[in-house]
Amino acid sequence: MTEDILINVTPFETRVALVEQGSVQELHIERSIQRGHVGNLYLGKVVRVLPGMQSAFVDIGLERAAFIHVADLRQNRTERSNGTAITPIEKLLFEGQALMVQVIKDPLGTKGARLSTQISIAGRMLVYLPYDPHVGISQKIESEEDRTSLRERVLSFMPEDENGGFIVRTQAEGATDEELRADQSYLRTIWNSIQAKAKSQATPSILYTDLTLAQRVLRDMVGPSTGMITVDSRSTTQELLDWAKTYTPSVLSRIKHYSGERPLFDTANVDEEIARALSRRVDLKSGGYLIIDQTEALTTVDVNTGGFVGGRNFDDTIFKTNLEAAVALARQLRLRNLGGIIILDFIDMDDAGHRSAVLAELNKALAKDRTRMTVSGFSQLGLVEMTRKRTRDSLAHQLCEPCPTCQARGNVRTPRTLCYEILREILRESRQFNPKEFRILASQAIVDLFLEEESQHLAMLGDFIGKPISLEVESQYSQEQYDIVLI
Ligand SMILES: [Zn+2]
């Protein structure tokens, strides 16, 4: 089965959808505002050396001069690890000097960017360290066997004249020789082009920027099952073609520009799918539905039949709903990019054969997902526990924030509950203070209730405390917000 890739480009955001047989399987979103300078390489010019602070200002072409501390100079690192005498910064840098630097911290407020000369370039599975001849393995790869094998393989693929080293990223877990080799040669190609630029360009100039989402798609997502890669921006299409020519020539023929009238994402109903992927409930064709709840600790998926199930086909209906749910929830996990512990609560099935068939269907559906997962069998309570590796943020984390009205509880106190709360509070305050009048500032719904159904209770309280109570609508207030003003 082939997967098509749709790339929607706007000045503020790039969105990528993986579509298989007309249905969206995976979404990636990158906002321009989130793209900083970290990781970018510049040919900078030293503008001032400050021996007292053992640091220097470097012009890299940004609004403010960037900053480098002696500890982030390559020579200093080497000296420290060798235990030899440390060379002060004024012996290493001089004003006007051209210097290849990498941004390690974005500029913030009045502070310029922070730089290092310890260069590193990230690939798909490896990070290349052109000046550091070591091979390191990510802590997150736990198996000692994997670590040893990865180290040996990466070392064996390195050419004789290699002066640099590699860090093996978590993504390399389970990588084939072919993939490791491809990543090494990709990183070397990039490094060669950076060096060539550094020789030919004036200061300050940019030598390398971290890949955009669209470029990462070509590097990381394209495989044998990829169909067409359709891009709705002419300039991005050209950029991708240029990039692919150098780094991934095999995908060149699959990149095409989309210039249709209809928005590209509408052609596969992607925006509708995004809206659906943000809601708790997912409807199934059979009439059943899923309820997906994401908390900090775990995600639960509850499978429900739609309405009344009865008669002779009871077991059969439940079995079919669970089968459909298995496929739908596998897709939702990927679409929403849910990670961590996931508890699946299928509808109870008495038949052991049905249970194993649902589990098989689930595993089959999950197999399309590139993310690492574990799936248990049915527990005694009839639950299936699974884990899915956390990678980037979940879709909901990326696009939403906790509801300020309900504090993310998912419900708000009813207007009547709030009316009674307000009445009690006025009573409490009337014992403590002695104002001329009380005024309730509240949302329209609360004020309406006080004017109509709860008007008697309000009047009774006013009589009881011997003070007038007035009402005022505060249209900016949410339902749960109110103020009691003493006048
Ligand atoms: Zn809410």
Side-chain angles (χ1 to χ4, degrees):
M1 234 177 279
T2 64
E3 281 184 332
D4 289 318
I5 296 175
L6 310 183
I7 304 180
N8 165 233
V9 183
T10 52
F12 46 90
E13 191 174 66
T14 299
R15 303 187 301 169
V16 174
L18 248 78
V19 180
E20 186 190 290
Q21 289 190 312
S23 105
V24 185
Q25 304 293 327
E26 209 173 296
L27 282 163
H28 298 258
I29 298 171
E30 181 178 73
R31 296 191 166 160
S32 316
I33 201 164
Q34 289 159 344
R35 273 183 71 82
H37 303 90
V38 172
N40 289 0
L41 277 178
Y42 297 86
L43 187 64
K45 184 174 170 185
V46 178
V47 287
R48 230 178 124 198
V49 181
L50 307 166
M53 290 169 71
Q54 282 300 295
S55 52
F57 284 113
V58 183
D59 179 13
I60 56 171
L62 298 181
E63 204 183 325
R64 259 168 228 291
F67 176 87
I68 191 162
H69 187 261
V70 71
D72 294 313
L73 287 172
R74 224 162 39 233
Q75 295 85 340
N76 185 279
R77 294 240 183 135
T78 318
E79 287 164 354
R80 271 185 299 162
S81 66
N82 294 344
T84 51
I86 304 279
T87 316
I89 196 161
E90 61 271 26
K91 295 269 163 63
L92 296 169
L93 301 182
F94 57 89
E95 272 170 39
Q97 180 184 353
L99 190 65
M100 192 197 287
V101 287
Q102 187 161 35
V103 175
I104 53 174
K105 204 170 168 201
D106 269 319
L108 187 72
T110 58
K111 276 188 167 171
R114 185 151 174 187
L115 308 172
S116 169
T117 58
Q118 186 69 47
I119 311 292
S120 68
I121 305 159
R124 179 179 186 173
M125 299 176 171
L126 305 170
V127 176
Y128 182 48
L129 308 167
Y131 299 113
D132 188 358
H134 295 103
V135 172
I137 316 280
S138 158
Q139 289 288 322
K140 288 189 195 133
I141 300 180
E142 282 162 10
S143 143
E144 206 44 58
E145 214 180 311
D146 280 356
R147 298 173 66 88
T148 312
S149 148
L150 280 165
R151 183 190 308 278
E152 281 170 1
R153 287 189 293 153
V154 168
L155 278 167
S156 73
F157 303 148
M158 274 160 67
E160 294 276 317
D161 58 350
E162 178 64 74
N163 298 314
F166 292 95
I167 293 171
V168 181
R169 306 173 73 180
T170 322
Q171 283 89 329
E173 209 169 13
T176 64
D177 285 0
E178 202 40 59
E179 286 171 320
L180 290 175
R181 268 209 191 94
D183 214 32
Q184 278 192 349
S185 90
Y186 157 76
L187 287 166
R188 244 191 316 273
T189 312
I190 289 203
W191 179 236
N192 289 340
S193 83
I194 290 170
Q195 284 181 304
K197 266 193 195 166
K199 278 186 195 122
S200 65
Q201 295 198 2
T203 58
S205 60
I206 187 153
L207 303 174
Y208 171 77
T209 51
D210 226 0
L211 299 192
T212 61
L213 174 60
Q215 290 165 331
R216 289 202 307 275
V217 166
L218 298 192
R219 190 191 67 189
D220 303 344
M221 285 161 68
V222 174
S225 62
T226 306
M228 292 308 291
I229 302 160
T230 313
V231 190
D232 65 1
S233 144
R234 195 174 296 280
S235 64
T236 305
T237 310
Q238 196 50 53
E239 268 170 45
L240 288 183
L241 287 169
D242 291 343
W243 195 85
K245 234 173 256 163
T246 314
Y247 302 110
T248 51
S250 62
V251 305
L252 268 174
S253 62
R254 284 179 269 176
I255 301 171
K256 72 161 195 254
H257 175 235
Y258 173 82
S259 56
E261 275 292 302
R262 271 181 88 198
L264 177 62
F265 267 22
D266 284 6
T267 61
N269 298 320
V270 183
D271 283 307
E272 266 171 58
E273 286 294 344
I274 293 174
R276 245 176 260 154
L278 293 176
S279 83
R280 270 183 90 211
R281 180 178 164 136
V282 179
D283 288 317
L284 304 173
K285 283 194 192 81
S286 63
Y289 60 95
L290 309 176
I291 295 289
I292 302 177
D293 281 312
Q294 194 188 352
T295 68
E296 303 237 335
L298 49 81
T299 300
T300 56
V301 184
D302 189 27
V303 183
N304 300 275
T305 54
F308 176 75
V309 181
R312 280 180 304 147
N313 297 324
F314 184 76
D315 283 348
D316 203 41
T317 306
I318 285 174
F319 179 47
K320 278 184 184 146
T321 306
N322 279 338
L323 282 175
E324 193 192 349
V327 177
L329 73 86
R331 176 166 163 258
Q332 288 297 324
L333 297 183
R334 192 173 166 199
L335 200 56
R336 296 172 187 230
N337 195 33
L338 297 171
I341 300 166
I342 300 158
I343 309 282
L344 311 175
D345 190 0
F346 286 101
I347 309 161
D348 285 342
M349 290 173 287
D350 295 330
D351 186 327
H354 285 176
R355 281 201 297 271
S356 60
V358 167
L359 211 54
E361 188 73 14
L362 176 68
N363 280 307
K364 196 175 114 199
L366 290 171
K368 290 179 193 164
D369 197 336
R370 278 183 300 258
T371 314
R372 218 156 55 90
M373 282 173 293
T374 61
V375 182
S376 77
F378 279 89
S379 74
Q380 282 206 316
L381 294 173
L383 304 172
V384 175
E385 292 171 16
M386 61 173 285
T387 62
R388 186 172 181 275
K389 203 169 173 61
R390 280 187 205 277
T391 50
R392 51 210 162 80
D393 254 352
S394 72
L395 190 67
H397 267 153
Q398 231 182 336
L399 299 181
C400 303
E401 61 183 10
C403 171
T405 304
C406 69
Q407 265 49 263
R409 292 194 309 269
N411 42 48
V412 291
R413 281 169 285 172
T414 62
R416 203 176 304 277
T417 304
L418 285 153
C419 278
Y420 296 165
E421 214 174 285
I422 291 169
L423 293 178
R424 278 194 302 273
E425 196 166 326
I426 292 176
L427 184 60
R428 203 179 304 128
E429 289 191 0
S430 74
R431 289 181 181 136
Q432 222 179 328
F433 309 104
N434 189 24
K436 282 206 205 69
E437 184 193 325
F438 285 94
R439 181 169 298 168
I440 300 167
L441 265 58
S443 66
Q444 186 75 58
I446 308 291
V447 170
D448 283 352
L449 205 59
F450 272 133
L451 289 172
E452 318 241 329
E453 292 165 56
E454 293 299 334
S455 59
Q456 262 205 309
H457 288 137
L458 185 68
M460 277 165 63
L461 179 68
D463 288 348
F464 181 74
I465 63 173
K467 298 272 160 66
I469 304 170
S470 60
L471 296 163
E472 194 177 318
V473 175
E474 191 57 74
S475 54
Q476 302 296 311
Y477 278 9
S478 67
Q479 182 158 308
E480 290 199 321
Q481 257 179 310
Y482 61 83
D483 257 323
I484 295 163
V485 183
L486 313 171
I487 296 171

